[in-house]
Amino acid sequence: MHLAFPRDVTARESGSLDIADEVLGTQALACHGELLRVLRSPRWKWRLRVRVDLLRGALALEPAVSEWLARGAPGAHRSLLARRERLERVARARLARLTHEEGASLAEVLGHLERLMSEPLPRPPGDDEPVLFEGSQGLRHFLAWPGAWGFALLVLTHQHLLGRRAGVVPVLVLGGALLAVYFLRYTGRFWLTAKRLVWQPRLGEPVQVSLASIAPEGITALAAWGEVRVEGERRVTVRHAGAAGRLAALLELHRRSPFLGRVDGTPRVRDVSVVPAWRVPEGAAPGSRTEPGVAVLRPGYAAFLPAHRAADMFRGLTAPLGAKPEADAAEVDVTVELLVEQLRLLPEADFDAYLRQAVFAQGGELWFADEVRPGEAASAGHVCLVGARGVGMQLRPDSVQAEATHRIVRQWAA
């Protein structure tokens, strides 16, 4: 549509509007009003995705509307200016709910929204995308929900406030309604892969964020609330999910080198045995104090990692190889076994390099295969290995680990 603007200075100063300006004002008022109603709706994301044409229409009108308002013509355009300001305020607030991106103008804000609403909804990982970690809401997190606090306060005070009129049935009905609201509105399921985090609320649209887009300080975990907030190309909040601390740790691990872009979620180190173990001096008396940890057996070596140094090992892995880890890193909900399993996603050379770094940094043990000899097991089903310096390990492999353990030990003796 071609829009003609008044060129006569006298007409502009007198505030008169030509027909084209009247048509433009009417179109913009209608478009902005309908878009405002959609953005203010409780189900604004769903309605906006269905009516993405409203965003495109507002974008198409924006250059002409901006030029008209810039000329400062008084009169009918004042209502359009007020509505446009309200639209920009609401649109910016909605955009902030979706992403950290901002716009310098209303046109940029609407453009970001149009792009996001035009994207297809993410789907949960399929068989061709291995899942590193997944989970759903835990009932224990219901107690951390503010609605549960309000209900508990009501239960404690309703008898005092209502006296004889207090009844059990209304309280039970309210409690059931709050529990339903909690599960339907504030819970869901998440999947973490080597490339993305997907959050599917029980009600509402799924959302995903790519690990490559997560900012350096873009991961916040509130373990007591079961909540993880992620800032990347999209804003994602995983609510009331179990193991929130572990999810945050794995996100931090896989959003950076050496994992980002180099793993696909499939273990690449096959010839390895990871077994619970205890570090003991050779000839230690039965019942003497031992140090729990994890034994890692490879064809060329055996290693021991102390269990209580899992957080330190995590800090070392989230720093570049050979660099000093951040001293003020927060405590994380990980185990040594979990970190070794994540290292198995890397190529074998990287696995060996990072494991050796962890052993030396965390006060573990590392012996070459020709330094290891069998020792006296403490009980049936255990395996005792003694390395250099008279320090040994008592291994307790389960039925699955036993086969890999004995196979690697036989390779040492060959």
Side-chain angles (χ1 to χ4, degrees), residues 37-309:
R37 282 190 288 273
V38 170
L39 288 172
R40 286 172 171 169
S41 169
R43 302 182 64 193
W44 63 273
K45 282 191 285 188
W46 177 82
R47 292 189 62 186
L48 199 58
R49 195 175 292 277
V50 173
R51 295 296 313 277
V52 72
D53 60 295
L54 287 175
L55 288 169
R56 292 169 182 156
L59 274 170
L61 288 172
E62 187 58 21
V65 172
S66 298
E67 182 180 343
W68 179 33
L69 295 177
R71 286 188 275 114
H77 84 294
R78 291 176 181 171
S79 59
L80 174 59
L81 180 61
R83 182 170 295 181
R84 185 173 177 273
E85 290 175 350
R86 290 195 297 271
L87 175 62
E88 182 170 357
R89 185 169 58 252
V90 175
R92 287 186 181 277
R94 294 311 193 193
L95 182 63
R97 294 277 300 274
L98 298 174
T99 178
H100 67 279
E101 292 179 334
E102 297 179 353
S105 63
L106 176 59
E108 291 186 12
V109 173
L110 296 178
H112 289 320
L113 283 173
E114 192 273 336
R115 176 180 56 81
L116 293 173
M117 292 298 104
S118 299
E119 292 176 351
L121 292 176
R123 300 180 63 84
D127 296 336
D128 59 341
E129 188 178 10
V131 175
L132 301 175
F133 191 46
E134 63 179 299
S136 57
Q137 76 284 347
L139 184 60
R140 70 184 182 89
H141 293 113
F142 174 70
L143 302 178
W145 183 46
W149 299 350
F151 177 69
L153 182 63
L154 176 64
V155 170
L156 294 174
T157 60
H158 86 288
Q159 185 74 34
H160 174 72
L161 294 176
L162 299 179
R164 296 181 179 179
R165 292 178 295 175
V168 176
V169 174
V171 175
L172 292 177
V173 171
L174 179 60
L178 283 175
L179 190 62
V181 169
Y182 167 76
F183 276 109
L184 295 177
R185 177 66 180 83
Y186 295 100
T187 63
R189 188 172 188 84
F190 69 85
W191 296 268
L192 174 64
T193 72
K195 295 182 178 179
R196 60 186 179 131
L197 170 67
V198 183
W199 166 244
Q200 171 64 73
R202 194 172 295 273
L203 286 181
E205 295 183 351
V207 62
Q208 71 177 12
V209 58
S210 68
L211 303 191
S213 71
I214 299 177
E217 304 296 330
I219 301 171
T220 305
L222 304 174
W225 295 69
E227 184 170 293
V228 177
R229 300 171 184 171
V230 182
E231 293 272 352
E233 61 190 359
R234 296 291 297 272
R235 280 196 169 104
V236 177
T237 301
V238 177
R239 295 186 177 93
H240 303 290
R246 178 162 298 186
L247 172 61
L250 290 177
L251 279 167
E252 187 66 40
L253 199 67
H254 284 274
R255 75 165 188 85
R256 62 174 75 209
S257 176
F259 296 94
L260 183 62
R262 300 186 61 199
V263 302
D264 61 3
T266 303
R268 300 170 68 179
V269 180
R270 301 289 185 179
D271 207 359
V272 63
S273 178
V274 183
V275 187
W278 292 260
R279 176 163 55 181
V280 294
E282 184 180 15
S288 59
R289 186 175 181 181
T290 59
E291 182 180 10
V294 174
V296 182
L297 309 184
R298 289 275 284 148
Y301 63 86
F304 174 84
L305 292 161
H308 69 280
R309 302 294 295 273

